[in-house]
Amino acid sequence: GAVVSQHPSWVICKSGTSVKIECRSLDFQATTMFWYRQFPKQSLMLMATSNEGSKATYEQGVEKDKFLINHASLTLSTLTVTSAHPEDSSFYICSARDWGQGNNQPQHFGDGTRLSIL
Amino acid sequence: AQSVSQHNHHVILSEAASLELGCNYSYGGTVNLFWYVQYPGQHLQLLLKYFSGDPLVKGIKGFEAEFIKSKFSFNLRKPSVQWSDTAEYFCAGSRTAGNKLTFGGGTRVLVKP
């Protein structure tokens, strides 16, 4: 089945640091990937839609200068949390869909990245 | 705006009991609906999906869901749960199959052995 890999799985860093999270589709190409954020005991909230070769589409209330998204290839999207602060601590999850399999395909999710800002 | 809501935040039941988790959506027009499961320490996995056709959808691990358009509902059911069904369950919807998902708040299910 389709596999989505995220790296790193857990990162702890100091306030003010920028952190990059990678999302890879391992055995399929993904022109579109999605980035979600999940706070403890809460549901997933879509942050942005990452489009290969073009700018990401951000959801209302998500700062695009704070959460930089780059989708440089058909198998890789990156989310960079710039100048991270403790309130950015959360669980970040990416997903991707195998567009090569036709229209009726669901999204496949990565394992998530737990970000802790001290 | 599209939204998905789940009625129960926590459900506790014993093995062999029947499970039904409620999910309601508010989408105008075409909607695609999903149930995902997140086992402790694992990533989200797809249980089942509804795009069109037969409103009774059968998924993996003995789960099924029924799309009732008149009630804007997509409830998840399993006739007899096992301890291994302990997990968090998320209902989600999108306008098209691969489009961005809107998730419900999730339901934590604890199955007592």
Side-chain angles (χ1 to χ4, degrees), chain B residues 2-53:
Chain B
Q2 301 102 347
S3 69
V4 176
S5 61
Q6 292 179 239
H7 311 314
N8 313 96
H9 296 294
H10 292 91
V11 171
I12 301 174
L13 61 169
S14 300
E15 276 193 313
S18 64
L19 173 70
E20 180 162 359
L21 303 181
C23 172
N24 284 93
Y25 65 92
S26 65
Y27 277 77
T30 303
V31 61
N32 296 284
L33 296 163
F34 308 82
W35 274 98
Y36 285 88
V37 61
Q38 188 173 32
Y39 297 105
Q42 297 187 27
H43 63 269
L44 283 167
Q45 300 174 38
L46 181 68
L47 275 179
L48 48 80
K49 59 185 185 288
Y50 171 79
F51 294 150
S52 63

Side-chain angles (χ1 to χ4, degrees), chain A residues 32 34 36 38 40-46 49 59 91 93 95 97 99 103-112, chain B residues 6 32 34 36 38 42-46 49 51-52 88 90 94 96-106 108:
Chain A
T32 302
F34 302 91
Y36 296 85
Q38 186 179 27
K41 299 184 180 181
Q42 295 188 29
S43 187
L44 286 78
M45 297 294 292
L46 179 68
T49 302
E59 294 300 301
F91 195 54
I93 305 171
S95 71
R97 180 193 146 186
W99 292 85
N103 290 330
N104 289 344
Q105 294 297 318
Q107 294 177 27
H108 301 279
F109 286 82
D111 286 342
Chain B
Q6 292 179 239
N32 296 284
F34 308 82
Y36 285 88
Q38 188 173 32
Q42 297 187 27
H43 63 269
L44 283 167
Q45 300 174 38
L46 181 68
K49 59 185 185 288
F51 294 150
S52 63
E88 187 156 18
F90 293 95
S94 71
T96 58
N99 212 337
K100 56 185 181 181
L101 290 169
T102 300
F103 281 87
R108 288 177 180 254

Side-chain angles (χ1 to χ4, degrees), chain A residues 81-110:
Chain A
V81 183
T82 61
S83 187
H85 292 285
E87 59 266 27
D88 299 321
S89 298
S90 188
F91 195 54
Y92 293 86
I93 305 171
C94 74
S95 71
R97 180 193 146 186
D98 187 353
W99 292 85
Q101 294 297 313
N103 290 330
N104 289 344
Q105 294 297 318
Q107 294 177 27
H108 301 279
F109 286 82

Side-chain angles (χ1 to χ4, degrees), chain B residues 70-103:
Chain B
S70 61
K71 295 184 179 180
F72 298 92
S73 70
F74 189 58
N75 293 356
L76 180 72
R77 298 192 293 255
K78 184 169 184 177
S80 176
V81 296
Q82 300 171 315
W83 175 79
S84 57
D85 293 320
T86 294
E88 187 156 18
Y89 294 80
F90 293 95
C91 182
S94 71
R95 285 222 171 273
T96 58
N99 212 337
K100 56 185 181 181
L101 290 169
T102 300
F103 281 87

